Amino acid sequence: MPETQTGLQRALRHPLVWPVLALVVLLVVNVVAKPGFFDIRMQDGHLYGNLIDIVRNSAPVLLVALGMTLVIATRGIDLSVGAIAAISAAIACTRIVGAGDEGALTTAVMACTYALAVCIVLGAWNGFLVSVLGIQPIIATLVLMVAGRGISMAITDGQITTVHNTWFSDLATGYVLTLPIAFIIALGILALTAVLTRRTALGMLIEAVGINPEASRLAGVRSRTIIWTVYAFSGFCAGIAGLVIAANTNSVNANSLGLWIELDAILAVVIGGTSLAGGRFSLTGTLIGALFIATLARTVNNIGIPSELNYLFKAVVVIAVCLLQSPKARSAFRVRRSSGPGSPGSTAPALVKTGSAA
Amino acid sequence: MSTATVPVDSLWDRVKGYSPPPRYLPVLATLGLLVGMFAIGGVRYEGFSDPQVLLSLLIDNAFLIVLAVGMTFVILTGGIDLSVGSVVALSTMIAAKTLELGWPPYLSMAAVLATGTLLGLLMGLLIHYFDIQPFIATLAGLFLARGLTFLISIESISISDPTFTKLAFKTVTFGDYYLRWTAIIALATVAIAAYVLARTRFGRTVYAIGGNESSAMLMGLRVAFTKVGVYVISGFCASLGGLLFSFYILSGNSLHAVGTELDAIAAVVIGGTLLTGGRGYVVGSLLGVMVLGMIKTLISFDGTLSSYWIRIITGALLLAFVIVQRFATRRSS
Amino acid sequence: MTQMDLQPAHGPKASSDADRPVIEMRDISITFGSVQALSEVSLRLRAGEVHALMGENGAGKSTLIKALTGVYSIDAGTVLVDGEQHEFSSPAASQAAGISTVYQEVNLLPNLTVAENMLLGREPRRFGGINVRAMNRRARATLESLGIDVDPTSELGEHPIAIQQLVAIARAVDVEARVLILDEPTSSLDTDEVAKLFEVMRRLRDQGVAIVFVSHFLDQVYEIADRMTILRNGRLVTERMVAETTQLELVKLMIGRELEVLERLDRKVSARTADESGVPVLRAVGVGRKGALEATDLDLYEGEVIGLAGLLGSGRTELARLLFGADSTDTGEVVIRSERRRLRSPRHAIDRKVAFSSEDRKAEGVIGDLTVADNMLLALQASRGWLRPIPQATRTKLVEQYLQALDIRPADPTALMRNLSGGNQQKVLLARWLITEPEVLILDEPTRGIDIGAKAQIQAKVAELSAQGMAVVFISAELEEVLRLSDRLVVMRDRRKIDERPNNDVTVGDVLEIIAGETREEEGPRA
């Protein structure tokens, strides 16, 4: 291999190449199927079009995935986000309905603030189970995943609660500066997360804990605080996602709201190149992952396949991404490639001796 | 330092002094919970103490028992299987569709079981040979099975095949009480699984992997075979559960059994199986399913409590068991 | 088949046929990438002997054992079983030849019964299932034959580590092992438990099993072993009868190099005597931890370097970890600047200006996927908390300053830590702690496995820091290095402090004698 790398080679090494490429391929498929796919119209000062729909629809998953990214970076996982989203929506909607002036701006603001505060507490509860009691993240968050929808139904008393508050519905369907508010909120939280992790030392400490917990402990990192913080933040993000979803239909169905959103969020994080084993995370990657999932859903519709079959494509994506990230799969493929005539299988003995010499 | 007196134990002393081995305590706790709930129900609600209530629990939850059995195998190795709910839906759909196409009922059943087993095999291979976390591999399985179900039909298909309906309603009576065949199949599954886990090398290797996978490997046990095997078993159990479910509900529908994997996992944990693997019994999982069923029965007998309390109580039980497990393992390690 | 011409000069005289080894490893070489882990090492095991495998860290003991058990493949050399050449391509092949291994960390299953742990994989069957009764019976018989009193139906995890260790041996023996390898079986056992283990070992030896015994405890080796093979730096030093070798000789052979050469090495002229009228910066009062260190006292004064000398497993690392709170103490307390308290976590120690660099650079120091800059600033940032990031200007300044001061290469703050060489990683870790401006610096093997240049630079830095008033605890397997740097010397052996003295004209030979236990009382320990 030559010593100097061309610009192209360097670009191909960039971790975001694959997700971006995948997204581009999906978009190309769409354009081929429907040449007018990229068309964007201006109507009543709002932009309309497939791309606008995609960014708007990606908002809930993106929101949840942002919190999930940080959780996964600490070697954790948060299964309860769907349930927390449902609780958040239930609280906001019941408070709006129960308020004296249902349509007022203050009603909506108060209700949302209250809902988000509860979500932070729920997230902190997960953090408590993980960091203080030392329960495995997947199990600790399973508790709230199971109980959460029950709690959400208890709040709405098992009814589908419908709200009439234009301010609240604007969360999902409103536009500011020609762009959907939902996406602007998601971008705002993305910016907030970026500032929170990259302008403070949180990001570095999260990565340190995720990469080498023992070395971090010996360097004096308070991993307990870090873990607590990321789960609380994940709860917060899930809460906002719940509000956006509820605002989209102006109602909350505790049974189905945010169902499986945890799986989509994990998928978005993994597509974005953040490893499930923890460590380095990429918020941009997560953004691309969320856009990919929304685009996939749109594509399935666009090329005339029933939207339910989206699951099949997601399964394929999950497997493909995991195989790309799995060192075992990679080395299996590499050995096969290198055992060709060009380079005799020189990697095989290296595989045997992976232990240290000590 | 006095002269040694030989203690003479009376039978009563021995009974009094008997304490069960600690490894059985979680299962006994679940049994105690079940008995306690039954007793409370019996005292508070009329007609609750009827043994048929217990038998109905078995009948209504037959498919969940089978799912929990498969899940127990997986969790004992320290893994997890998120796909079982979707595989149940896929199974009902395959059964309904093949019957609609005029396949003989037994061939249709075979197709269902083969599909589930094959899916389990694929997930197991991904997990073991490509080192993909069970959570993610079975997540792919969840999406795949659900997607295939929709691929077969988006609409619900009802099952009217006489063999199926006959099997569905076939009962065995014991005096005044009865059990359906589905429940008996479920109990048989539990019995076979209990034997396999306790008395075969495969079963003991399942525990060994959950105890310490690298130790099991160093001891020369067949780790790869067993690790893939548990997902095959879970896939088979999920499709068998799916068959039982289609007997119960007599239709194929893509939206069947959404979230059932959570019920199965909860039942296994409440049944005393350690989620980190290595400890637990299928009998516990059976009791766990019964406890979940009992919560439903209690709430329906009560009539004033809403159904969502089922989930909240399940979550609370799960939390209690997880925390107790955590402290039990911390103390011993 | 006695080709003695291939044996090294120190090897025993030609053996008769009765003395023929069960297993003979001849001129074994193994390389990992560019590292030569073993170079022409030979090992001969005879039936009915306990054979100690001796050597310091990195001598190649584990590699040799893994070659014998088929875990590593051999690059050059032959393995003879009963004089016939064999190839151990896998652990199974090695086991088939009658070689069983019991590792330091018990590789059994705490959640299964004792009998299952002994027999799983070859359990008696009936009707296709496991015959539990027969299995328990067979396990009980084996345990009795070894004199181990354990109920085979009880769960393994209920028993203390020592019993688990014995069960592991029982499992190894049940396969009719001809060679039993015990890799540091005593490292977590107390005296009674060791006695029990030795009893079992003697029984097995008398039954004709060849036992390979790896231990860091010299007394134990002298108590149980008949013969020993000594390795150093991946090479064979010699094979000796234990009875014919004094402890001093053994220690010299393990540590290596001729004493005269060592004496000529440039070293500190004389130790500065610390101002002991003042308050120690750090005091350990009866600090101990079960299975790691007996209660130990230590005073550390401003501006002095204490050298901890001792073999691997002597308690030197354990003491360092307890001083920092990396492990929690069972007894005693650490007093920092007259403030008494039990250190519950490294956090407490760092807040009191104590710094600790672990011997295990990879597992406990390096954050491989972060940049050099992040790795350097980690400890400082951790003590500031995440809400108060280090300002960019300060970051750049600190990182640049230490990149230069320690001559770290590449001098690129954005390079990933895992891409640096060992020496440079070690320098970054040193910088990580210096940036926190500690008053006490504990360095555990800071120069292990790094090149000469980096080593000299780190040594110079330590001398400079102590001259500036920092109190340093310096641990190294290389005695020359310890002597060169330290003002006071603490000698550890068998998990306790056996000697403490000012480093005035102390020679490597003196230290070896102390370690070997031959002049323990005469020189009059200071404390």
Side-chain angles (χ1 to χ4, degrees):
Chain A
M1 196 187 281
E3 282 297 302
T4 51
Q5 296 178 324
T6 63
L8 182 68
Q9 272 173 324
R10 255 203 309 279
L12 279 178
R13 289 263 178 91
H14 195 277
L16 289 183
V17 166
W18 289 106
V20 170
L21 219 58
L23 185 57
V24 170
V25 167
L26 263 192
L27 291 174
V28 169
V29 167
N30 277 303
V31 175
V32 171
K34 267 198 191 142
F37 185 76
F38 283 157
D39 292 354
I40 290 175
R41 299 174 282 123
M42 187 70 125
Q43 191 180 325
D44 307 336
H46 306 157
L47 293 175
Y48 283 96
N50 283 310
L51 293 184
I52 301 300
D53 283 351
I54 287 174
V55 294
R56 199 182 63 192
N57 294 343
S58 71
V61 171
L62 176 56
L63 283 164
V64 175
L66 286 172
M68 189 72 80
T69 308
L70 301 191
V71 170
I72 287 179
T74 62
R75 296 190 172 184
I77 202 151
D78 189 349
L79 297 183
S80 68
V81 285
I84 292 183
I87 293 174
S88 163
I91 292 176
C93 290
T94 47
R95 283 193 79 90
I96 290 175
V97 168
D101 184 1
E102 198 185 328
L105 171 63
T106 46
T107 307
V109 172
M110 289 300 290
C112 291
T113 314
Y114 186 73
L116 292 179
V118 172
C119 291
I120 292 176
V121 171
L122 291 174
W125 158 257
N126 283 332
F128 168 77
L129 292 181
V130 174
S131 68
V132 179
L133 297 190
I135 297 171
Q136 286 182 339
I138 188 171
I139 304 170
T141 55
L142 181 70
V143 171
L144 202 50
M145 185 189 190
V146 170
R149 290 198 183 275
I151 295 172
S152 171
M153 277 189 263
I155 294 166
T156 59
D157 207 21
Q159 308 297 316
I160 295 178
T161 310
T162 310
V163 293
H164 305 284
N165 184 315
T166 47
W167 301 101
F168 184 67
S169 11
D170 275 351
L171 277 180
T173 48
Y175 286 80
V176 168
L177 298 172
T178 73
L179 287 171
I181 290 180
F183 189 63
I184 291 178
I185 291 176
L187 280 187
I189 299 295
L190 173 66
L192 174 73
T193 318
V195 168
L196 200 63
T197 53
R198 299 304 182 195
R199 288 287 150 187
T200 73
L202 186 62
M204 187 248 254
L205 295 180
I206 286 174
E207 292 183 338
V209 169
I211 296 166
N212 191 338
E214 181 58 13
S216 304
R217 185 181 79 95
L218 289 179
V221 178
R222 288 188 176 89
S223 53
R224 199 173 272 193
T225 321
I226 305 279
I227 289 173
W228 212 315
T229 311
V230 296
Y231 281 93
F233 184 71
S234 176
F236 170 74
C237 290
I240 300 183
L243 297 180
V244 171
I245 299 170
N248 197 28
T249 55
N250 284 316
S251 68
V252 53
N253 178 352
N255 250 326
S256 65
L257 190 147
L259 191 65
W260 287 348
I261 200 170
E262 57 275 352
L263 303 184
D264 278 344
I266 293 167
L267 192 54
V269 174
V270 173
I271 292 174
T274 301
S275 159
L276 275 177
R280 298 296 289 243
F281 62 88
S282 164
L283 294 173
T284 322
T286 299
L287 169 67
I288 294 169
L291 287 175
F292 180 88
I293 291 174
T295 312
L296 184 67
R298 198 75 190 178
T299 311
V300 169
N301 252 332
N302 194 28
I303 58 180
I305 301 174
S307 61
E308 285 84 357
L309 292 189
N310 197 359
Y311 292 116
L312 275 184
F313 293 96
K314 277 188 191 165
V316 173
V317 171
V318 173
I319 293 170
V321 170
C322 286
L323 287 180
L324 274 175
Q325 285 191 357
S326 152
K328 262 196 179 174
R330 276 194 202 170
S331 64
F333 294 133
R334 214 175 296 138
V335 165
R336 190 165 305 158
R337 227 183 298 156
S338 66
S339 60
S343 51
S346 55
T347 49
L351 283 176
V352 182
K353 290 181 191 169
T354 44
S356 75
Chain B
M1 284 293 149
S2 61
T3 52
T5 51
V6 181
V8 185
D9 284 1
S10 69
L11 178 66
W12 171 237
D13 279 337
R14 262 184 289 157
V15 171
K16 214 167 48 174
Y18 174 79
S19 64
R23 57 192 124 143
Y24 297 133
L25 283 180
V27 174
L28 291 175
T30 312
L31 182 64
L33 188 64
L34 187 64
V35 171
M37 289 166 86
F38 190 60
I40 290 174
V43 171
R44 291 193 54 172
Y45 312 113
E46 204 168 320
F48 197 95
S49 54
D50 187 348
Q52 188 59 45
V53 169
L54 283 178
L55 295 180
S56 300
L57 276 184
L58 286 175
I59 295 169
D60 293 341
N61 293 293
F63 83 103
L64 190 56
I65 291 172
V66 177
L67 292 190
V69 166
M71 188 68 80
T72 310
F73 275 83
V74 173
I75 289 182
L76 278 175
T77 63
I80 201 151
D81 189 349
L82 297 182
S83 71
V84 292
S86 297
V87 174
V88 166
L90 178 62
S91 303
T92 62
M93 185 56 87
I94 291 178
K97 187 70 184 181
T98 50
L99 290 173
E100 197 185 56
L101 291 174
W103 290 28
Y106 290 101
L107 184 62
S108 158
M109 288 181 205
V112 167
L113 295 178
T115 312
T117 312
L118 182 69
L119 268 176
L121 175 67
L122 289 178
M123 289 186 290
L125 293 175
L126 274 182
I127 290 163
H128 185 76
Y129 287 100
F130 292 111
D131 248 353
I132 293 176
Q133 292 182 3
F135 177 82
I136 282 292
T138 57
L139 172 61
L142 179 157
F143 284 137
L144 188 67
R146 198 60 79 171
L148 288 174
T149 315
F150 279 115
L151 187 63
I152 296 170
S153 166
I154 290 168
E155 306 298 320
S156 178
I157 302 175
S158 63
I159 294 173
S160 51
D161 179 86
T163 317
F164 265 60
T165 44
K166 212 173 80 195
L167 275 174
F169 294 112
K170 193 165 180 184
T171 56
V172 179
T173 50
F174 316 94
D176 293 342
Y177 310 114
Y178 72 95
L179 262 184
R180 288 219 188 126
W181 263 102
T182 49
I184 289 172
I185 291 173
L187 290 178
T189 314
V190 172
I192 294 170
Y195 176 80
V196 168
L197 281 176
R199 286 288 185 270
T200 65
R201 187 182 291 176
F202 176 84
R204 301 319 287 171
T205 308
V206 168
Y207 283 92
I209 293 175
N212 187 333
E213 189 175 333
S214 63
S215 288
M217 196 108 71
L218 282 172
M219 284 167 77
L221 302 175
R222 294 172 73 191
V223 170
F225 175 81
T226 310
K227 230 171 124 190
V228 176
V230 294
Y231 290 93
V232 173
I233 288 177
S234 179
F236 174 82
C237 284
S239 52
L240 180 61
L243 268 186
L244 297 185
F245 193 67
S246 52
F247 291 151
Y248 185 72
I249 210 150
L250 289 176
S251 71
N253 189 331
S254 325
L255 292 174
H256 276 333
V258 169
T260 308
E261 58 276 355
L262 291 188
D263 288 339
I265 295 169
V268 172
V269 173
I270 291 172
T273 299
L274 216 55
L275 261 171
T276 43
R279 247 170 236 280
Y281 301 93
V282 272
V283 174
S285 302
L286 169 66
L287 293 174
V289 173
M290 299 281 279
V291 166
L292 292 187
M294 188 68 89
I295 296 172
K296 279 185 200 156
T297 314
L298 274 174
I299 283 173
S300 70
F301 263 85
D302 185 273
T304 60
L305 283 170
S306 307
S307 62
Y308 51 75
W309 280 101
I310 296 168
R311 280 178 159 272
I312 298 179
I313 295 171
T314 307
L317 278 180
L318 199 58
L319 177 69
F321 272 80
V322 163
I323 289 181
V324 169
Q325 281 182 2
R326 174 68 196 144
F327 285 103
T329 49
R330 180 181 284 175
R331 206 184 37 204
S332 70
S333 64
Chain C
M1 291 289 275
T2 47
Q3 291 170 288
M4 295 314 296
D5 51 342
L6 289 174
Q7 291 303 310
H10 295 289
K13 288 171 244 14
S15 49
S16 69
D17 204 44
D19 198 25
R20 190 175 69 184
V22 193
I23 299 271
E24 178 169 5
M25 301 179 82
R26 227 180 250 172
D27 301 324
I28 304 294
S29 294
I30 292 183
T31 49
F32 298 105
S34 60
V35 183
Q36 180 94 19
L38 281 185
S39 166
E40 298 181 357
V41 172
S42 300
L43 175 71
R44 290 137 43 88
L45 303 174
R46 296 159 189 82
E49 73 167 5
V50 175
H51 193 118
L53 194 54
M54 306 296 294
E56 275 285 270
N57 234 332
K61 297 179 308 243
S62 335
T63 315
L64 186 64
I65 287 176
K66 285 183 175 154
L68 182 56
T69 51
V71 177
Y72 293 159
S73 54
I74 294 167
D75 294 330
T78 49
V79 179
L80 305 178
V81 181
D82 291 328
E84 282 182 32
Q85 194 166 334
H86 270 246
E87 216 162 296
F88 295 156
S89 50
S90 69
S94 164
Q95 278 169 25
I99 299 172
S100 289
T101 316
V102 176
Y103 294 97
Q104 176 181 6
E105 59 289 1
V106 182
N107 281 299
L108 291 181
L109 304 157
N111 56 330
L112 298 186
T113 68
V114 168
E116 282 176 324
N117 269 293
M118 287 172 61
L119 294 166
L120 207 55
R122 47 173 189 276
E123 66 284 330
R125 291 156 175 255
R126 200 176 51 175
F127 311 128
I130 296 174
N131 185 345
V132 177
R133 272 166 181 247
M135 181 170 74
N136 288 338
R137 213 164 35 232
R138 190 163 131 197
R140 186 169 284 125
T142 309
L143 289 170
E144 269 169 17
S145 80
L146 293 173
I148 304 168
D149 181 27
V150 185
D151 176 8
T153 63
S154 59
E155 216 169 281
L156 184 74
E158 295 168 9
H159 299 291
I161 294 291
I163 298 290
Q164 299 190 21
Q165 192 80 255
L166 293 176
V167 172
I169 293 174
R171 175 182 175 89
V173 169
D174 186 81
V175 260
E176 286 171 15
R178 307 171 61 206
V179 175
L180 177 63
I181 301 170
L182 301 176
D183 190 358
E184 291 196 44
T186 57
S187 56
S188 43
L189 308 189
D190 64 29
T191 326
D192 292 344
E193 293 168 337
V194 170
K196 183 77 202 150
L197 173 75
F198 283 1
E199 197 187 306
V200 172
M201 281 170 69
R202 286 196 189 96
R203 272 184 200 233
L204 286 169
R205 178 184 62 191
D206 296 344
Q207 288 165 20
V209 178
I211 300 175
V212 178
F213 179 63
V214 180
S215 171
H216 293 301
F217 301 108
L218 298 185
D219 285 345
Q220 292 177 3
V221 170
Y222 275 83
E223 187 183 337
I224 189 87
D226 306 305
R227 203 187 293 260
M228 56 193 172
T229 292
I230 300 156
L231 303 181
R232 190 192 331 132
N233 294 330
R235 289 172 184 280
L236 176 68
V237 178
T238 180
E239 187 196 273
R240 291 280 187 95
M241 295 304 292
V242 175
E244 295 163 6
T245 315
T246 65
Q247 291 210 22
L248 181 59
E249 270 179 290
L250 171 61
V251 173
K252 282 181 190 167
L253 290 169
M254 284 166 64
I255 302 221
R257 278 181 244 177
E258 296 303 313
L259 281 181
E260 307 82 72
V261 182
L262 294 178
E263 298 303 330
R264 267 187 271 115
L265 273 176
D266 187 31
R267 52 177 289 256
K268 222 167 198 170
V269 183
S270 74
R272 280 168 296 128
T273 32
D275 178 17
E276 293 186 22
S277 59
V279 186
V281 194
L282 182 142
R283 283 186 80 185
V285 186
V287 164
R289 179 180 165 86
K290 190 176 181 300
L293 188 72
E294 288 176 25
T296 302
D297 297 334
L298 189 74
D299 289 356
L300 183 60
Y301 294 91
E302 213 167 81
E304 85 173 335
V305 180
I306 287 194
L308 286 190
L311 300 177
L312 187 67
S314 61
R316 58 185 195 206
T317 294
E318 289 76 2
L319 176 58
R321 292 181 67 89
L322 292 179
L323 291 181
F324 183 65
D327 297 326
S328 58
T329 53
D330 288 340
T331 61
E333 56 189 354
V334 176
V335 185
I336 300 169
R337 291 255 175 233
S338 345
E339 190 193 346
R340 277 166 182 273
R341 65 178 298 157
R342 253 185 85 199
L343 293 175
R344 272 194 319 262
S345 79
R347 191 67 254 154
H348 291 129
I350 295 167
D351 288 345
R352 282 156 195 83
K353 299 227 156 279
V354 179
F356 166 71
S357 166
S358 161
E359 60 167 344
D360 194 342
R361 193 164 56 226
K362 204 166 160 222
E364 299 184 341
V366 167
I367 316 270
D369 279 342
L370 286 188
T371 62
V372 167
D374 283 344
N375 266 282
M376 256 191 213
L377 296 166
L378 183 63
L380 178 62
Q381 186 61 67
S383 54
R384 290 170 66 104
W386 65 267
L387 272 172
R388 291 170 53 226
I390 304 164
Q392 192 56 45
T394 321
R395 273 179 73 98
T396 321
K397 201 180 113 246
L398 282 172
V399 172
E400 285 301 327
Q401 179 190 336
Y402 280 97
L403 281 177
Q404 275 185 12
L406 294 172
D407 190 28
I408 294 167
R409 288 169 207 205
D412 173 10
T414 63
L416 284 190
M417 187 71 164
R418 65 177 143 89
N419 294 337
L420 266 61
S421 71
N424 284 304
Q425 286 183 347
Q426 191 65 54
K427 289 188 208 165
V428 172
L429 296 181
L430 187 59
R432 174 189 291 174
W433 291 114
L434 296 183
I435 285 174
T436 65
E437 296 174 345
E439 292 172 356
V440 178
L441 179 62
I442 305 169
L443 298 173
D444 193 357
E445 297 248 37
T447 60
R448 187 206 292 175
I450 68 177
D451 61 277
I452 301 288
K455 199 177 219 173
Q457 283 169 332
I458 287 177
Q459 290 174 0
K461 191 71 197 176
V462 170
E464 182 193 325
L465 291 169
S466 83
Q468 289 164 6
M470 197 180 289
V472 181
V473 176
F474 189 88
I475 303 175
S476 171
E478 286 182 45
L479 290 177
E480 309 92 296
E481 192 180 45
V482 176
L483 288 173
R484 201 175 316 147
L485 284 172
S486 50
D487 302 304
R488 200 143 47 87
L489 206 60
V490 169
V491 184
M492 312 282 299
R493 172 177 159 151
D494 296 351
R495 294 186 199 134
R496 59 195 183 87
K497 183 169 94 175
I498 56 167
D499 193 277
E500 182 174 345
R501 62 180 71 200
N503 183 10
N504 289 325
D505 300 320
V506 181
T507 63
V508 170
D510 296 340
V511 180
L512 294 183
E513 279 172 19
I514 300 169
I515 293 176
E518 300 193 349
T519 53
R520 199 182 298 173
E521 301 305 320
E522 291 152 57
E523 307 253 340
R526 205 181 65 138

